[in-house]
Amino acid sequence: MIVAEADDADDADDADVLRMVGAIAWAAQDTPDSPARADRLLTLLLNGLRHGDVRP
């Protein structure tokens, strides 16, 4: 899993990621650009997870 190695209580866990994916699917449904919108939102989510911790 992407977040299986979370070592901080503030890190995303598996349930957080699944909820975000569900929210993205809901937000993109029934719109003319559904596939493109879902792709953009999923890319944003995954890029944020890959970026890692940005706290000082």
Side-chain angles (χ1 to χ4, degrees), residues 22-41:
I24 288 169
W26 178 81
Q29 73 182 1
D30 300 330
T31 62
D33 65 340
S34 291
R37 178 172 296 189
D39 187 54
R40 284 191 310 274
L41 293 172

Side-chain angles (χ1 to χ4, degrees), residues 2-28:
I2 295 173
V3 294
E5 306 255 343
D7 60 0
D8 187 351
D10 293 332
D11 286 342
D13 63 13
D14 295 344
D16 294 332
V17 175
L18 288 174
R19 287 181 188 196
M20 287 299 299
V21 170
I24 288 169
W26 178 81

